[in-house]
Amino acid sequence: MSDGDKNGGDKPEDAAALPEVWPEAERAESLARGAALKWASGVFCRPEHLERLGQYRKRESQRTSSIQSRLKSVVQSYLEGVGWGLEQLREARAELKEVSHALGKAGVESSRNAEGVKALEMMQEVSVNHCQLLAAVSNLPRLYSVRSMVSETERLVESRRLLEAHARLMELECWQDDVLWQLHGAGAPGTAGTALSAQDEELVRNYFSGVGKLVEALGKELWAVVGSGLALARQNPTTFVSAVRIVEREEALDQAMLEERGGAGGHSRPLPPGRPRCWRERFFQVLEEAVSARFRSVSYLHTRGPGLAGHLSALQHGIMGDLATVRHLLDHCVPPHYNLTRAYLRACHRCLQSHLGQVSGWELESGEIFAVLNWVLHIYNSSDMMGHPDLVVEMESGPLISKEGLEQLQNKYVHSVRKSVSEWMHKALEVELTDWQRDQEPDTDHEGFYLTSLPTIITQMLEENARVALMISESLRDQTIQMGLYEMENLLNRFREALVEFGKEHRRDQSTNQNKFYLHYLLASISNCIILKTSTESLQQQLSSRSASRFSRTPPGPLAALDRAVRRACRLVMDQLLLELQPFLQGLLSRSWLAQGDVTVTLKLCGVLERHFELYSRVRPPCRQRLQEECQWLTVVEYVRVLMQKRLVCRNAEERRQLAQRMALDAQHLRDLFQGLVEVEGSVSEVNPMALLPVLADFIRLKDPSMLTLEVSGLVAKYPDISDEHVSVLLDVRGDVSRDVRGTVLDLLEQNTPPLPAGYRPIFSDILVPTPSMPFCLPTAKCA
């Protein structure tokens, strides 16, 4: 068969096998052909593009050659790696054969030696028994002397010969350790040791049981010496030095045994019973227990009231005395690495923290809390205690009381002070109310102003509390001042209520005239409020700028409460003035008053005003000027109110002239009176209500009714709060106004209602026009 036939015969078999062996190749070829076709259809989409067919063919041939050369290089590298791996496998197989042969020889030799070892097992047992018997024989003298050694060591401990006792104890412990170790069989040469039975170990421990009791007795005596170290240092520190040496010996033994067990191999001795003892750590624990012992006997009953301050002072002197002993005596009895002064300071600090935490939980009064805060914040850290230059370096602890604990203690202090302040204010107010009932004038100060004991008590109490709180901290001072201002506000509210009740009681008892100095005490109350205002402003100025942001509730408003109390007192003073003026006001602006032409009523009225002005001079500025202004205002308002009652309606021009003349004369009397009194006081009032009376007199005096429109315009310009009812009454008083003129004037008022200017105080708003009475008639048919 020719080569072509051979190829032709192989093709069907290859074509059938290709999809099964290399399915990816056929898929890749199909994708490549599709991509090539797509690329060619895009590049040669026009006939003129076929001119570049040669260039593309040449470029693709070069790319194909490059890819084939890279493939050949990769395949060559892969074949070289496969060859090197096969060579390594051949070498490994040869080495494994050699190792297997050597192991076979070793197994044969091991089988031969096992027969010889069996013959030595009896000899090993005999050797172990011999070693144990040798240890027992060598330890017999020691074992016989154990009980006598224990008794002798007990006597040494009881006589406080601590170093000798400890030396004997160490010897006994060494014997016990050696016996246990030898019984383990570790002494036999060439042996690995045998396990000690529990029965044998229990037997040894029972025999040496006195050693454990000696350790306890020595430790108890040792810690008693350490606990009384301060007293021993002042008398004879030898015993304390012995105790420290024993502690250091035990610490060295602990360290050596731990290192031996940690560094040894499989034949290391087990730790003796009770090791490690850690007596150095116990030394410092006993030291701290000795420090805390002075606080244990302190109870709540022993430190009540002034006793707490004395207790804290005793603590200060006791601690500083002990520190001096530790620094100058005990510190030289211990190794330098003990840092005994620092350790004692820390122990004192921790005990004080616990003790003061217990004290802070008691029900303390304000003075006791102050003593604690002052001691914690100032005395403890001062140069007299822990702030001493020699102690600052050693002191590395935190505060005695945490920040939260201090805040709670300060809040408790403020609450206690508030309770006391509230009680004192209540008592002071009761004393004030009692003073109001006295049958004598109030006291006066060096300037002649009325006053009582209330402002002095309140001011001194609040300022003293603020001063004491400042000795602790500014924040406590701010809290105390805020508390005082809250209580001041509450007091002033009760004070205002008491003024109202005082006024009601005076009106009820007015017929009996029991309280002749009612007005005097009202004026004294006003002066008291002025003093309290000055004190309040002084306290508010002491507050730090950041204090307002620390208070969650509404800030206190004592100034507003003061203003309300002053207003109420001034109102009561004016009510009393009106009550005294009322009999004289009833005789004004009537037909009999006009007919008689007598000014006696006016002069009596001026006498009442003059007496009131004289009493107002006993009031502190600026309320003195305020009372004077209110007095003038009240006089004018009541005078005009009498005019509005229409007791006198003029019948002719002569009566209008007489009425206007009398009103002008009264106005002149009042003006002269007020100006004279105000000049004596050295001030000029900004309010001049007296100008209203001459204006009303000119309105009544006007002869030509047709000019009333112009007159009313001027009146409205000066007093924009005047109403048409007021003008209507004035027109009625004139008695000559026709219906047409009245309508014109009232229309003018309706059209011209100017707004009140800024700063203008209405006067006609306080003057009510009486409601006109309706004429009575019988319900007859004719009337209907």
Side-chain angles (χ1 to χ4, degrees):
M1 186 178 289
S2 65
D3 294 337
D5 294 338
K6 291 178 182 180
N7 295 337
D10 292 341
K11 282 182 181 179
E13 185 178 353
D14 295 337
L18 187 60
E20 297 178 2
V21 180
W22 303 102
E24 292 82 0
E26 183 177 357
R27 184 167 177 268
E29 183 178 0
S30 175
L31 291 175
R33 289 181 179 277
L37 181 61
K38 183 177 180 181
W39 175 81
S41 62
V43 173
F44 302 106
C45 57
R46 293 184 181 181
E48 58 269 19
H49 292 166
L50 293 175
E51 297 177 356
R52 292 181 291 179
L53 178 61
Q55 298 176 2
Y56 285 116
R57 182 179 296 169
K58 183 178 180 180
R59 187 179 67 182
E60 293 301 322
S61 298
Q62 293 175 353
R63 181 181 298 176
T64 303
S65 300
S66 175
I67 293 173
Q68 289 177 352
S69 63
R70 287 201 299 272
L71 286 173
K72 290 178 181 179
S73 175
V74 170
V75 171
Q76 183 65 28
S77 300
Y78 175 74
L79 292 176
E80 291 177 356
V82 170
W84 181 82
L86 292 173
E87 184 65 24
Q88 293 293 322
L89 289 174
R90 282 192 290 271
E91 293 177 359
R93 185 177 62 182
E95 292 177 356
L96 285 174
K97 287 180 179 180
E98 295 178 1
V99 171
S100 177
H101 183 66
L103 287 175
K105 290 181 179 182
V108 173
E109 292 295 329
S110 176
S111 300
R112 294 174 183 175
N113 292 333
E115 298 175 358
V117 171
K118 292 179 181 179
L120 296 175
E121 288 180 354
M122 282 181 82
M123 293 186 64
Q124 182 182 6
E125 293 178 3
V126 172
S127 176
V128 170
N129 292 332
H130 175 74
C131 291
Q132 291 179 350
L133 291 173
L134 179 62
V137 171
S138 62
N139 286 322
L140 279 178
R142 296 179 180 178
L143 294 175
Y144 282 124
S145 62
V146 165
R147 298 192 183 279
S148 61
M149 284 274 289
V150 168
S151 300
E152 184 179 357
T153 307
E154 287 178 350
R155 289 193 297 271
L156 292 173
V157 171
E158 290 174 357
S159 60
R160 281 203 172 181
R161 297 165 64 182
L162 300 179
L163 287 176
E164 297 178 38
H166 186 252
R168 299 295 178 89
L169 178 62
M170 290 174 64
E171 188 175 357
L172 287 170
E173 287 181 330
C174 184
W175 291 356
Q176 180 185 5
D177 194 18
D178 289 344
V179 169
L180 288 173
W181 177 242
Q182 289 170 3
L183 288 177
H184 271 286
T191 65
T194 59
L196 181 64
S197 66
Q199 184 178 1
D200 294 339
E201 185 174 0
E202 184 66 23
L203 178 64
V204 173
R205 296 198 185 283
N206 289 336
Y207 191 80
F208 284 92
S209 60
V211 176
K213 296 178 181 178
L214 280 177
V215 173
E216 295 177 1
L218 179 62
K220 183 177 180 180
E221 198 67 28
L222 201 66
W223 306 136
V225 170
V226 174
S228 59
L230 291 173
L232 292 173
R234 299 186 182 101
Q235 300 170 2
N236 184 11
T238 305
T239 310
F240 182 81
V241 173
S242 299
V244 173
R245 291 178 63 183
I246 292 172
V247 169
E248 284 302 299
R249 285 181 187 177
E250 288 293 328
E251 194 69 20
L253 284 174
D254 286 346
Q255 191 67 25
M257 290 182 180
L258 289 174
E259 290 177 356
E260 179 184 351
R261 271 65 178 176
H267 302 288
S268 62
R269 294 188 179 189
L271 282 173
R275 294 284 182 180
R277 293 194 176 127
C278 304
W279 275 11
R280 184 187 293 170
E281 181 180 350
R282 177 61 181 158
F283 173 88
F284 290 105
Q285 291 177 358
V286 171
L287 183 68
E288 184 166 350
E289 291 174 0
V291 173
S292 64
R294 66 173 60 253
F295 305 109
R296 293 173 186 168
S297 60
V298 178
S299 67
Y300 177 59
L301 296 177
H302 294 160
T303 56
R304 285 292 294 160
L308 181 57
H311 166 67
L312 294 175
S313 178
L315 278 182
Q316 175 186 355
H317 292 93
I319 290 172
M320 296 310 295
D322 293 348
L323 278 174
T325 303
V326 171
R327 289 173 55 211
H328 299 112
L329 297 177
L330 281 185
D331 215 0
H332 302 291
C333 299
V334 298
H337 62 81
Y338 270 47
N339 291 322
L340 193 60
T341 302
R342 180 177 299 178
Y344 193 85
L345 279 172
R346 291 178 178 175
C348 286
H349 190 80
R350 285 193 292 269
C351 292
L352 281 174
Q353 282 179 325
S354 175
H355 180 60
L356 291 175
Q358 177 187 4
V359 171
S360 300
W362 294 344
E363 293 295 331
L364 301 177
E365 300 294 336
S366 59
E368 298 168 335
I369 300 174
F370 174 82
V372 174
L373 289 173
N374 185 53
W375 200 87
V376 169
L377 296 176
H378 300 296
I379 296 178
Y380 184 72
N381 295 317
S382 67
S383 59
D384 295 334
M385 281 197 72
M386 301 308 175
H388 192 277
D390 297 336
L391 299 179
V392 171
V393 180
E394 306 289 344
M395 192 67 182
E396 298 177 356
S397 302
L400 280 179
I401 300 179
S402 64
K403 184 178 179 181
E404 294 77 11
L406 280 176
E407 289 181 357
Q408 292 177 1
L409 207 56
Q410 290 182 0
N411 292 335
K412 188 185 294 185
Y413 173 81
V414 173
H415 178 74
S416 178
V417 173
R418 181 169 195 165
K419 181 180 179 182
S420 176
V421 167
S422 179
E423 292 176 356
W424 275 102
M425 286 186 173
H426 183 71
K427 292 178 182 177
L429 184 58
E430 289 180 349
V431 172
E432 177 75 6
L433 299 182
T434 304
D435 290 344
W436 288 354
Q437 305 300 328
R438 293 194 304 174
D439 194 18
Q440 63 182 31
E441 276 191 277
D443 298 330
T444 57
D445 59 9
H446 64 283
E447 297 178 292
F449 299 127
Y450 283 143
L451 82 163
T452 59
S453 60
L454 178 67
T456 303
I457 295 174
I458 301 302
T459 300
Q460 290 179 353
M461 179 170 51
L462 295 181
E463 290 180 352
E464 179 66 16
N465 285 328
R467 185 188 64 80
V468 172
L470 183 60
M471 295 172 65
I472 301 300
S473 64
E474 285 191 4
S475 63
L476 185 60
R477 188 268 315 271
D478 293 342
Q479 285 182 268
T480 305
I481 290 178
Q482 289 280 357
M483 175 274 301
L485 294 179
Y486 278 117
E487 291 302 317
M488 172 85 80
E489 183 179 4
N490 295 335
L491 170 72
L492 291 171
N493 290 332
R494 296 196 301 269
F495 182 75
R496 182 170 58 88
E497 295 172 359
L499 284 174
V500 174
E501 189 62 30
F502 187 41
K504 292 179 180 178
E505 182 180 353
H506 176 70
R507 286 192 293 273
R508 286 195 299 266
D509 301 337
Q510 186 176 1
S511 58
T512 60
N513 197 18
Q514 291 183 356
N515 196 339
K516 296 183 294 184
F517 299 98
Y518 166 75
L519 181 61
H520 303 71
Y521 281 101
L522 286 179
L523 299 176
S525 300
I526 296 174
S527 292
N528 290 343
C529 289
I530 298 172
I531 297 174
L532 290 176
K533 179 180 180 182
T534 304
S535 174
T536 301
E537 292 173 346
S538 174
L539 290 173
Q540 289 179 335
Q541 290 174 0
Q542 295 180 38
L543 290 174
S544 58
S545 58
R546 57 184 183 276
S547 64
S549 60
R550 293 200 298 263
F551 294 96
S552 57
R553 58 176 181 162
T554 306
L559 293 180
L562 274 168
D563 186 62
R564 290 193 295 269
V566 170
R567 288 178 181 274
R568 174 55 59 185
C570 290
R571 183 68 263 170
L572 292 175
V573 170
M574 292 299 106
D575 290 345
Q576 181 63 21
L577 173 61
L578 178 59
L579 192 63
E580 295 183 19
L581 292 178
Q582 201 65 41
F584 307 107
L585 292 173
Q586 295 297 330
L588 294 175
L589 300 173
S590 63
R591 188 164 297 281
S592 59
W593 167 78
L594 183 63
Q596 294 174 0
D598 190 5
V599 296
T600 304
V601 177
T602 305
L603 293 179
K604 290 181 179 179
L605 186 144
C606 291
V608 173
L609 295 173
E610 185 174 0
R611 186 173 64 85
H612 271 256
F613 261 74
E614 183 179 355
L615 290 176
Y616 298 163
S617 64
R618 300 297 187 93
V619 179
R620 289 180 172 274
C623 286
R624 179 174 54 197
Q625 289 80 6
R626 178 176 178 178
L627 287 172
Q628 293 172 354
E629 294 173 2
E630 291 297 326
C631 180
Q632 298 179 53
W633 203 271
L634 176 68
T635 303
V636 173
V637 167
E638 294 303 322
Y639 193 96
V640 177
R641 180 178 284 116
V642 173
L643 179 64
M644 291 292 136
Q645 293 176 1
K646 295 192 294 186
R647 297 178 185 175
L648 176 61
V649 176
C650 299
R651 300 172 181 173
N652 49 49
E654 181 60 24
E655 287 187 356
R656 285 191 293 274
R657 183 189 66 78
Q658 292 179 4
L659 176 59
Q661 185 177 358
R662 289 296 304 277
M663 288 179 62
L665 184 59
D666 289 346
Q668 185 62 39
H669 282 301
L670 294 174
R671 186 184 300 109
D672 294 342
L673 171 67
F674 290 140
Q675 287 181 352
L677 294 174
V678 170
E679 287 175 358
V680 170
E681 298 299 333
S683 63
V684 179
S685 175
E686 297 179 359
V687 181
N688 186 19
M690 297 304 303
L692 176 60
L693 297 183
V695 171
L696 296 180
D698 293 339
F699 183 87
I700 295 174
R701 185 186 294 114
L702 188 64
K703 297 179 179 180
D704 187 1
S706 62
M707 298 295 293
L708 286 175
T709 305
L710 183 60
E711 190 71 20
V712 169
S713 299
L715 189 61
V716 171
K718 292 181 180 179
Y719 304 98
D721 62 318
I722 191 171
S723 65
D724 53 353
E725 289 85 356
H726 295 109
V727 174
S728 180
V729 171
L730 291 175
L731 296 177
D732 291 340
V733 171
R734 284 183 56 88
D736 64 338
V737 181
S738 63
R739 184 175 298 177
D740 295 338
V741 174
R742 179 186 295 271
T744 304
V745 170
L746 296 179
D747 291 341
L748 175 65
L749 283 175
E750 291 180 1
Q751 298 173 3
N752 186 16
T753 55
L756 300 181
Y760 172 77
R761 179 179 176 181
I763 187 170
F764 281 96
S765 300
D766 297 334
I767 304 172
L768 299 179
V769 177
T771 305
S773 58
M774 297 298 295
F776 176 76
C777 63
L778 293 174
T780 60
K782 183 177 180 181
C783 182

